[in-house]
């Protein structure tokens, strides 16, 4: 089936009741010109990001804090590496989440059960023991893998491929995400700083619970909200798949326990293993899609430029995710935590990133709507985002240079300025990247191709899990300067490839 047709269920939804919402979400303009389903999905992401990023803003600080102060007692480099490994696991699991939605659960139920697992994970982390912390991180990883790729896919189903509102809709969706990204660290950071880290994790749990409530309440406005998976396995195959999944999970858990007990599976080796998997997984996944008989020649041709977008996303997110690791550690140790006479926890710097994206996303969305078909090609938007991400790190070379020791304090405005560049780059790249993914995805791999986009985030975290180990060993100007320069160079290469990308991505703009 052509990708120019509406991205919704193969079978039409029932006709609406008189006075009810349109049966085709693409014909719905009730939410400020956008489908009402966008409000439901954006509302869910507000609370999911509130919980996820609120927790992540304090996670690396919790790892690096002393045991006597309620932390885990890790060195700065180790804390950043373990935090990045957790991010790697979150996005690796998104592959399974996309497959389960396509073949077994359906998008609606995958998102619902993913949210339940996330909430349970945050409630587990609220218990002040190391064992419950690791168990909670595991549950959150599984839940986010189910929820994250499928919510973005459901947003894509609200629009036709050629709908000019599409990129603007994703920009609104991303603005809503960043409302949660802004509010989460404010609440969890204050609680973590004043009451204890596990109080901050408790706030994240409450936020995810609220997100689940509003998601269920607004389900009637969603495209493809029925329970059945779009490409469901035959009943016999589905039963066999469920059995294999359960047995496989039990086998992996038993093996992990045995290797840990034998002293082989250490934290360092687990981090290295996740990095290796993050490199292999996208290579295998691209190969499967290129060889699949269910992928048409036209769809296969559009996967080639998608590889470039995938790599660009990896480079940018390698920088972005360090806003919650090395940048957070830098802010806690070498940045003032006072602005205009107001004292705040170091974790609040993470809210600056969300605040800038909340403020800038509607401006970007309005600009794309105003420009219509004359707006920059998706590949150029992504390239500009990568360049801005690199510049955000290069900016940090200035305040970290020229010091004899690490006892200095830089002005808070340096961190804020870096996050401004990073936030603008994030809006340009992520909204265009997710939108382009839903356009370029082979129809038979719709949710799974969105999972492939999130594999770029896994790869970014996997690389970060190794490079941040150098944070304690090299000078800060060298660390931020080299990483920033690589990102700028990568963005310029994507701009240079723009003519080929426009030609091979056609008719996607």
């Amino acid at each position: 089936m052509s990708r120019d047709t509406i991205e919704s269920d193969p079978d039409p939804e029932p006709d609406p009741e008189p006075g009810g919402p349109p049966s085709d979400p693409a014909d719905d303009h009730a939410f400020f010109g956008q489908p009402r389903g966008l409000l439901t999905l954006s509302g869910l992401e507000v609370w999911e990001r509130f919980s996820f990023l609120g927790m992540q803003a304090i996670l690396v600080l919790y790892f690096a804090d002393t045991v006597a102060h309620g932390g885990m007692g890790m060195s700065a480099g180790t804390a950043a590496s373990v935090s990045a490994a957790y991010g790697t696991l979150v996005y690796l699991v998104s592959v399974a989440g996309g497959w389960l939605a396509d073949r077994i659960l359906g998008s609606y139920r995958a998102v619902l059960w993913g949210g339940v697992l996330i909430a349970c994970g945050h409630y587990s982390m609220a218990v002040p023991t190391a064992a419950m912390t690791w168990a909670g991180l595991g549950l959150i990883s599984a839940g986010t893998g189910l929820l994250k790729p499928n919510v973005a896919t459901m947003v894509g189903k609200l629009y036709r491929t050629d709908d000019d509102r599409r990129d603007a809709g994703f920009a609104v969706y991303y603005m809503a995400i960043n409302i949660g990204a802004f509010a989460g660290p404010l609440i969890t950071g204050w609680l973590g700083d004043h009451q204890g880290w596990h109080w901050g994790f408790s706030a994240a749990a409450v936020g995810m619970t609220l997100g689940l409530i509003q998601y269920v309440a607004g389900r009637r406005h969603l495209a493809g909200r029925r329970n059945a998976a779009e490409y469901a396995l035959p009943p016999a195959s589905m039963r066999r798949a469920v059995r294999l999944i359960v047995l496989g999970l039990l086998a992996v858990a038993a093996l992990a326990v045995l290797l840990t007990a034998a002293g082989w599976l250490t934290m360092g080796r687990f981090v290295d293993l996740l990095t290796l998997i993050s490199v292999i997984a996208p290579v295998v996944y691209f190969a499967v899609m290129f060889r699949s008989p269910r992928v048409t020649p036209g769809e296969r041709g559009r996967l080639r430029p998608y590889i470039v977008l995938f790599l660009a996303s990896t480079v940018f997110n390698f920088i972005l995710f360090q806003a919650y690791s090395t940048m957070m550690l830098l802010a806690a140790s070498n940045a003032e935590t006072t602005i205009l006479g107001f004292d705040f926890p170091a974790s609040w710097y993470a809210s600056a990133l969300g605040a800038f994206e909340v403020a800038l996303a509607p401006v970007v969305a309005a600009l794309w709507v105003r420009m219509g078909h004359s707006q920059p090609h998706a590949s150029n938007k992504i390239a500009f985002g990568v360049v801005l991400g690199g510049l955000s790190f290069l900016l940090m070379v200035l305040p970290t240079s020229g010091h004899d020791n690490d006892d200095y304090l830089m002005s808070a405005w340096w961190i804020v300025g870096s996050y401004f560049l990073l936030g603008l780059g994030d809006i340009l790249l992520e909204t265009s990247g997710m939108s382009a993914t839903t356009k370029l995805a082979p129809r038979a791999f719709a949710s799974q191709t969105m999972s492939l986009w999130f594999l770029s985030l896994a790869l970014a975290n996997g690389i970060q899990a190794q490079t941040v180990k150098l944070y304690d060993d090299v000078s800060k100007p060298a660390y931020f300067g080299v990483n920033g320069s690589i990102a700028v160079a990568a963005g310029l290469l994507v701009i240079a490839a723009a003519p080929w990308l426009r030609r091979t991505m056609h008719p996607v703009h």
Side-chain angles (χ1 to χ4, degrees):
M1 184 177 294
S2 171
R3 292 293 291 172
D4 291 334
T5 58
I6 182 172
E7 293 186 271
S8 59
D9 296 315
D11 300 324
E13 299 282 358
D15 292 334
E17 297 179 0
S23 60
D24 188 342
D27 296 326
D28 184 1
H29 294 72
F31 177 50
F32 298 103
Q34 299 285 343
R36 272 175 285 195
L38 182 63
L39 176 61
T40 298
L41 297 174
S42 297
L44 173 66
E45 280 287 23
V46 166
W47 290 110
E48 189 274 333
R49 290 292 91 179
F50 174 97
S51 63
F52 184 86
L53 294 178
M55 181 271 287
Q56 195 160 12
I58 62 175
L59 184 64
V60 70
L61 301 178
Y62 165 64
F63 284 155
D65 201 1
T66 63
V67 175
H69 198 253
M72 299 286 280
M74 300 180 185
S75 67
T78 300
S81 181
V82 174
S83 180
Y86 157 68
T88 306
L89 182 61
V90 165
Y91 292 110
L92 281 175
V93 176
S94 71
V95 178
W99 185 87
L100 286 170
D102 270 356
R103 303 293 187 253
I104 296 177
L105 293 174
S107 295
Y108 174 79
R109 286 195 298 182
V111 170
L112 177 62
W113 287 111
V116 171
L117 288 174
I118 293 171
C120 290
H122 286 301
Y123 283 117
S124 297
M125 292 187 69
V127 180
T129 65
M132 292 301 287
T133 294
W134 299 123
L137 290 175
L139 289 170
I140 295 169
S141 299
T144 304
L146 273 176
L147 183 146
K148 194 65 177 170
N150 295 306
V151 173
T153 299
M154 291 175 77
V155 173
K157 291 177 182 179
L158 298 174
Y159 304 93
R160 296 183 177 88
T161 303
D162 59 355
D163 192 333
D164 285 338
R165 300 178 301 160
R166 190 186 187 94
D167 279 9
F170 270 96
V172 171
Y173 166 72
Y174 214 70
M175 178 187 70
I177 287 175
N178 285 292
I179 292 174
F182 166 70
L186 292 179
I187 304 301
T188 61
W190 189 91
L191 288 171
D193 190 63
H194 290 78
Q195 301 296 326
W197 301 117
H198 296 281
W199 280 94
F201 300 146
S202 299
V206 173
M208 191 64 243
T209 302
L210 294 174
L212 284 170
I213 292 171
Q214 74 84 42
Y215 175 67
V216 173
R219 64 187 181 278
R220 67 191 184 95
H221 300 303
L222 303 176
R225 61 189 175 274
R226 65 166 191 254
N227 290 334
E230 293 185 30
Y231 300 94
L233 295 171
S237 298
M238 186 177 295
R239 287 192 294 270
R240 185 178 66 175
V242 171
R243 285 196 300 269
L244 289 175
I245 290 171
V246 173
L247 291 174
L249 290 174
L250 292 175
V252 169
L255 180 62
V257 170
L258 289 174
L259 292 176
T260 301
W264 188 92
L265 186 60
T266 62
M267 180 61 69
R269 286 175 176 170
F270 182 65
V271 170
D272 294 342
L273 177 62
L274 287 177
T275 296
L276 180 63
I277 295 173
S278 74
V279 173
I280 295 174
V283 174
V284 172
Y285 217 75
F286 271 118
V288 168
M289 286 198 295
F290 270 111
R291 295 182 179 182
S292 173
R294 294 179 295 142
V295 177
T296 67
E299 291 174 332
R300 193 171 290 113
R302 288 192 290 272
L303 279 175
R304 295 186 179 92
Y306 183 70
I307 295 176
V308 176
L309 306 186
F310 177 92
L311 294 175
S313 170
T314 299
V315 173
F316 175 80
N317 284 290
F318 167 76
I319 300 293
L320 176 66
F321 290 138
Q322 292 192 62
Y324 297 94
S325 59
T326 56
M327 286 290 288
M328 196 59 54
L329 292 168
L330 179 67
S333 62
N334 296 110
E336 295 177 352
T337 54
T338 301
I339 291 182
L340 302 177
F342 177 76
D343 295 327
F344 56 90
S347 56
W348 278 21
Y349 277 113
S351 286
L353 182 60
F356 284 130
E357 298 196 26
V358 169
L360 294 172
V363 177
V364 172
L367 179 63
W368 297 157
V369 171
R370 185 177 182 83
M371 295 181 71
H373 283 293
S374 65
Q375 63 188 268
H377 190 263
S379 63
N380 280 333
K381 296 177 188 176
I382 290 170
F384 297 152
V386 177
V387 170
L388 287 169
L391 291 176
S392 75
F393 258 36
L394 289 178
L395 180 64
M396 299 313 300
V397 174
L398 299 176
T400 57
S401 298
H403 303 288
D404 296 330
N405 53 52
D406 281 339
D407 294 335
Y408 65 91
L409 289 179
M410 71 179 77
S411 168
W413 296 109
W414 288 108
I415 304 288
V416 172
S418 177
Y419 280 5
F420 172 80
L421 294 172
L422 193 58
L424 180 58
D426 196 24
I427 292 170
L428 294 177
L429 185 139
E430 295 295 347
T431 56
S432 299
M434 288 191 294
S435 180
T437 296
T438 61
K439 296 174 185 177
L440 296 172
R443 187 163 182 80
F445 287 84
S447 292
Q448 295 172 67
T449 308
M450 183 56 71
S451 295
L452 185 58
W453 176 256
F454 288 112
L455 273 182
S456 71
L457 312 188
L459 179 57
N461 269 309
I463 297 171
Q464 182 201 165
Q466 302 303 318
T467 58
V468 294
K469 294 176 182 178
L470 301 173
Y471 183 74
D472 290 327
D473 302 325
V474 302
S475 70
K476 291 180 175 63
Y479 183 87
F480 290 108
V482 171
N483 288 329
S485 298
I486 291 173
V488 170
L492 294 177
L493 286 174
V494 176
I495 293 174
W500 176 77
L501 290 169
R502 282 195 296 268
R503 184 174 65 254
T504 53
M505 290 172 66
H506 183 78
V508 173
H509 181 74

